[in-house]
Amino acid sequence: MTNTETKKLPVLLTIHSEQHYEDTEPDSIELMTEGVLELTREGMVLSYQESELTGLEGTTTAFEIRGPQVILSRTGNVNSQMVFEEGKQHTSIYETPFGELAIDIQTSRLRHSLSERGGLMDLRYSISVDHAVTGRNAFKIRVRRKPELRENI
């Protein structure tokens, strides 16, 4: 692969997301959707279109896997970027309808077995605003290669 070459593979994603806030029951969503796994020189990018179910319709979500880091970017109706690195804290900007908010992301677990064949990503983190933890979140994403259609001859 040259510096500009990438390989884009159609994939099926099963995304399980949990959000835990103090004094409330955990909020859990499981979503199945189509996406793209892009193999790059630096690593991989897993992207998909959000839906009405997640409340982020009109937004593209991308997980960029680069060595020990995963960068989650959302663009469209919602714009944000969060950096995850196990055992480390990163400050990120989260755009809201009322303005930008600086949040601290503390990653407690980041594991993945992603390759061009698919795999699993397990991400657990807490979010702090003004140094007070506001919630704990988890993503489990199962990636499967989408079967390629073959025409009958």
Side-chain angles (χ1 to χ4, degrees):
M1 253 188 285
T2 64
N3 286 338
T4 56
E5 276 184 16
T6 61
K7 186 175 182 182
K8 294 184 179 188
L9 306 167
V11 292
L12 297 171
L13 307 173
T14 304
I15 302 164
H16 183 83
S17 170
E18 282 186 12
Q19 297 178 324
H20 300 263
Y21 299 103
E22 238 179 83
D23 302 328
T24 62
E25 288 293 312
D27 187 16
S28 179
I29 293 177
E30 185 155 301
L31 168 73
M32 288 186 73
T33 190
E34 295 181 357
V36 174
L37 179 63
E38 185 176 354
L39 306 176
T40 67
R41 300 252 327 137
E42 294 81 28
M44 291 177 252
V45 179
L46 181 61
S47 61
Y48 63 95
Q49 296 295 315
E50 292 285 354
S51 71
E52 195 177 323
L53 179 66
T54 63
L56 299 172
E57 192 173 19
T59 301
T60 300
T61 295
F63 289 90
E64 185 178 351
I65 297 109
R66 285 183 164 199
Q69 282 189 348
V70 170
I71 301 165
L72 183 152
S73 300
R74 289 195 167 114
T75 54
N77 290 341
V78 172
N79 295 294
S80 66
Q81 186 177 65
M82 294 186 252
V83 178
F84 303 99
E85 191 169 358
E86 189 170 311
K88 295 192 177 179
Q89 179 173 301
H90 290 273
T91 300
S92 299
I93 300 297
Y94 196 85
E95 193 178 283
T96 73
F98 310 105
E100 292 182 346
L101 187 62
I103 57 174
D104 295 322
I105 306 291
Q106 177 72 44
T107 306
S108 58
R109 181 178 177 89
L110 174 56
R111 301 275 191 279
H112 81 82
S113 62
L114 295 175
S115 72
E116 65 181 88
R117 293 184 308 277
L120 186 65
M121 181 165 55
D122 183 9
L123 178 59
R124 297 178 197 174
Y125 60 98
S126 59
I127 295 178
S128 301
V129 178
D130 290 332
H131 309 295
V133 173
T134 59
R136 293 184 335 273
N137 302 314
F139 275 112
K140 276 195 179 166
I141 302 175
R142 180 169 303 284
V143 180
R144 289 180 292 138
R145 286 284 298 273
K146 194 173 171 183
E148 295 180 29
L149 297 176
R150 293 194 172 96
E151 291 184 32
N152 293 333
I153 300 176

